Amino acid sequence: MMLRIEGVFAGYGRSTVLHGVDVTVDDGTVTAVLGHNGAGKSTLLRAAIGLLRPKQGMVLFGGEDVTKLPPHVRVARGMAYVPQGQQCFPHLTTAENLQLVADGRRGGRQAMASALELFPALHGLMRRRAGLLSGGQRQQLAIARALITRPKLLLLDEPTEGIQPNVVAEIEQAVLSLAGVDGLSVLLVEQHLGFALRAAHRYHVLESGRVTSSGAGGTGAEPAVRAALTV
């Protein structure tokens, strides 16, 4: 099992957002976390990567307890995190954003080339400052940059939020093609149910910081998920 979040309570200050959450991600699979705004989805990813220390519970990565390890150590052990907001270094070019990760990393150039194969639109944008890219282009850049680290587990937070439909399709295809390649696992937070369930082998629905429904992914799961989200 790649990741196990076990009985996690987490939040901000005195406010608890997650209440005893259990989520698992098997090796080489995509697990989707679904829910309305404010359900605790982003908080779950922040706890997984180490930006939030759980008040209670455990985070296991590759069978090892990483609950108390800082984010940079988790990244070194094989996690990569793409937060909401198409984050990049806006004053650097597309190429420079990628090279920051690739340079000095063993096999970095090869990993950069592999990441660009998933997002061919970036090839023509290498000299453009990242701040001048569209939201969809910046999101592709953010995911490509994370993949250069050759992660074992990729954490994606709302990768299609605010993205134009044609680029959503490109991001969806990239995520679908990633799962299982070199054993890569993906924990995907997403509000577009169609995309999430097509990509996911398994899903969890969060409501008010609690898992209220879980099951196998696939488009056939959509009625059950919609029902869980309307309860």
Side-chain angles (χ1 to χ4, degrees):
M1 185 173 296
M2 182 62 65
L3 179 73
R4 179 169 179 79
I5 295 170
E6 186 174 304
V8 163
F9 290 76
Y12 308 91
R14 296 183 179 180
S15 175
T16 300
V17 177
L18 301 179
H19 302 270
V21 168
D22 293 316
V23 166
T24 60
V25 183
D26 290 330
D27 294 353
T29 68
V30 177
T31 294
V33 178
L34 309 166
H36 298 298
N37 287 333
K41 305 185 301 299
S42 294
T43 300
L44 178 68
L45 292 192
R46 289 172 65 84
I49 194 65
L51 293 172
L52 275 179
R53 178 75 62 86
K55 300 177 181 181
Q56 186 177 328
M58 298 175 63
V59 178
L60 302 172
F61 180 52
E64 179 186 3
D65 184 358
V66 298
T67 310
K68 297 181 179 179
L69 296 182
H72 71 276
V73 175
R74 300 188 201 197
V75 169
R77 296 192 182 184
M79 287 190 186
Y81 173 49
V82 182
Q84 286 177 290
Q86 305 102 42
Q87 296 188 16
C88 63
F89 297 101
H91 299 296
L92 300 181
T93 66
T94 297
E96 288 167 342
N97 267 269
L98 296 170
Q99 288 164 353
L100 275 176
V101 183
D103 288 351
R105 183 179 297 274
R106 185 176 182 181
R109 292 289 177 173
Q110 176 69 36
M112 181 173 161
S114 297
L116 285 170
E117 287 178 9
L118 286 170
F119 302 110
L122 293 178
H123 282 288
L125 302 168
M126 298 296 278
R127 295 184 179 181
R128 186 174 300 181
R129 280 171 48 184
L132 299 178
L133 302 178
S134 70
Q137 291 164 345
R138 287 196 304 273
Q139 187 64 284
Q140 292 179 76
L141 174 58
I143 297 172
R145 196 173 55 206
L147 291 173
I148 292 174
T149 68
R150 296 191 183 276
K152 300 173 184 176
L153 174 66
L154 180 63
L155 308 171
L156 292 175
D157 194 356
E158 302 278 13
T160 66
E161 182 185 36
I163 304 300
Q164 55 269 44
N166 63 314
V167 181
V168 168
E170 293 176 14
I171 291 173
E172 177 179 345
Q173 186 55 47
V175 173
L176 288 169
S177 66
L178 283 172
V181 176
D182 296 326
L184 178 67
S185 303
V186 180
L187 181 57
L188 170 68
V189 162
E190 182 57 59
Q191 292 213 42
H192 285 78
L193 294 188
F195 161 41
L197 292 174
R198 280 191 295 273
H201 298 85
R202 187 164 182 79
Y203 72 85
H204 301 280
V205 175
L206 272 185
E207 183 67 34
S208 299
R210 294 175 172 85
V211 175
T212 58
S213 178
S214 300
T219 54
E222 189 164 341
V225 172
R226 290 196 180 277
L229 290 171
T230 57
V231 172

